Every structure is written in C-alpha cells, then in structure tokens.
Amino acid sequence: MVRILVSDRLDEEGLEILRREGFEVDVKLNLPADQLREAVKDYDVLLVRGRTKVTREVLEASDKLKLVVRAGIGLDNIDLEAARQRGVRVENTPEAVSSAVAELTIALMLAVARRLPEADRTVKGGGWSKEKFLGLELRGKTLGIIGLGRIGCEVAKICRAMEMRVIFYDVVDRDEWAEKYGCEPVASLEKLLAEADIVSIHVPLTSSTYHMIGRRELSLMKPGAILINTSRGAIVDEQALLEALKEGRLGGVGLDVYEEEPPKSRELLSLPNVVCTPHIGAQTKEAQKAASIAAARKVIEFFRGGAG
Ligand code: NAD
C-alpha cells in the first residue's frame, strides 16, 4: 500500500479523497528536523505546505520516498536539486490559491492607502480624529506589478475594475495575458519603479529575485509611493526598506511576508504606515480546501496516471 506522510496542516477534504482511494495517510505535524528525517523513511509520499523544510538531509534519509507534493505555491521550502538527484518527483498546486493571495494584496493596498489599522485602533480607543485620516484613492493611480503570473494577473484584473492603470515587468513574454487583463508592459524594473504609484511584488523567490528590491530600487520609486509584498520576504531588503520608510520616502508598505518569519525587526513593524499580516495570503477556507484537493489529485495522478 502507498503510504503518505502529511507533515503540515492540510484541509481534511483532500486527505479523505486519498483514504477513499486506498492510500494510507498519516498526519504528523510539527516534527523537528531529526524526527522528520526518521519518519520519512517509511513513506512513499511526503505531503507538505510551506512550513516543513524538505532539505537534502530529509530527502537523502529515505530510499522509499518517490513524491513530494507541496499544497500551494512556492517550492522554496524544498531542495529541488537534491530531489532531482534522488529521483524524487516534486509537485505543487499553484492555481488553487491565486485569488486568495490577490484579494489579500488588494486588501493591503486599501489598508495602507486609507490607514485602516490605525483608524480602527483610533475608534476603538475612543478617538475620532478625521483630519489624521486623509487617505489616497486607488482609482486613477498606476499600479506596477512585478511578475505577471497567476497572482499578478488576478491582481491586475481587480485593479483594472477599480479604474487603475496597470503596468508590469516580467522576464518572460506576457503579451497574451497583458492584452487579456488590460496591462501595459514596461521595458525594465527601473521604469516600472519610476512610474508606479503602487508597486506590488508577485515573483517567486529565486537566486535572481533575492533582494530584487533593495536600496537602489527603493530610491527609484516615486516619493510617497506604496509597496506591497505578498510574495516572499527575502525579495525585499528589509533593512533598506526600513531606511526608506524612516527617511519618509515611501507613502506606506503592506507586508504579508518577511525575510524571517515570524519577523524579528520590531522597528519596521512598529512604523504607523506599515500594515502587516502574518503570511496569510493563501489562508482562506476556499484556497485551503482547493489546495488540499489539488494535492490529492497530484498523488493519484502520480500513482495511477490520473485515474480517480
Ligand atoms: P507564477 O509562477 O504564476 O508567476 C510568477 C511570475 O514572475 C512569472 O510570470 C515569472 O515569469 C515572473 N518572474 C520570475 N522571475 C522574475 C524576475 N526576476 N523579474 C520579473 N519577473 C519574474 O507564480 P504565482 O502563482 O503568481 O505566485 C507568485 C509568488 O507568490 C509565489 O512564487 C509565491 O512566492 C508567492 N505566494 C505567496 C503566498 C502568500 O501566502 N503570501 C501564497 C502563494 C504564493
């Protein structure tokens, strides 16, 4: 019987599909690295979200492991090179969570532009200072999307409906999507940063996107511009971001992701124009259910060639 180890919390629906299909499914959450290395020896499949670190040591600990499925997007918690060398297939379910992340991106844009967390705290604390909350409208503003992939397109679609101009920068040709979603390509990241009132990051974390937004890039942004990052923390140099905010060059920042999670830099988090969420982009009932079902389908496809 095919044995599956689930080491991150997954919606039950996908696990039920696997059990119904005759797979043996064991859920063992929050295993320390040494226990994970030990546990993985007995399983054909490792089913994770972003929490479990599927390191070379984990992959090399098992001769039985054939498949790692990451429910959701982003494979940066998996050592892909080690998996390739060990002949372990790696799959993910990127399509399942795109709209959840896009909606959080929009929520952060609005929260920063209208200073919602601070306004909420003011009213709940008995205050009523309207003058303090002179916000910005998104309508008519230029949004610059870095990475017009699945999530970037969802964000573009919503922002176009809000009558924003949407420009984007991508390393691959996205003409078809650009036309479909009404976005204009720009030739370089520098051009995007100089033109956008709001910059939203939607690239994966790779060696070429690590600290893609650093001191130089932040200095190219329009004075008062807003930066949103719901992608991966390390794409932005947090120290440079803190400096840009302290110098008053940026209007505000919305962050769902951090270089280190949970984030250690209290100084960045304590600034009034920084709105933070705890990496909850994909954290909706709908997305979690969809990711779990899609992950189950990947396992079934792998072992049964798509049957079931
Ligand atoms: P995707 O692969 O569909 O799109 C990524 C786009 O970025 C592609 O069009 C790609 O060509 C482009 N790109 C890659 N490198 C680039 C570079 N150096 N410069 C410009 N463009 C570049 O991915 P997606 O499904 O849209 O997801 C994007 C990212 O969102 C994921 O990689 C993940 O890190 C993040 N994410 C976050 C959460 C969350 O909870 N906050 C949830 C899911 C995904």
Side-chain angles (χ1 to χ4, degrees), residues 138-144 159-160 162-167 182-184 186 191 195-196:
L138 298 187
R139 179 173 169 268
K141 298 291 186 303
T142 298
L143 168 70
C159 289
R160 290 289 293 140
M162 293 170 81
E163 297 182 39
M164 297 175 78
R165 175 183 172 228
V166 180
I167 59 175
C183 332
E184 305 158 36
V186 289
K191 197 163 176 351
E195 271 190 44

Side-chain angles (χ1 to χ4, degrees), residues 82-95:
R84 195 190 57 76
Q85 286 168 1
R86 300 284 296 168
V88 174
R89 180 109 137 244
V90 177
E91 295 279 355
N92 65 350
T93 66
E95 61 296 326

Side-chain angles (χ1 to χ4, degrees), residues 73 101 149-151 170 174 203-204 212 230 232 256 279 281-282:
I73 313 181
V101 182
R150 281 172 293 256
I151 298 172
D170 202 304
R174 291 291 188 216
V203 291
M212 182 183 196
T230 56
R232 283 293 179 267
D256 186 44
H279 201 147

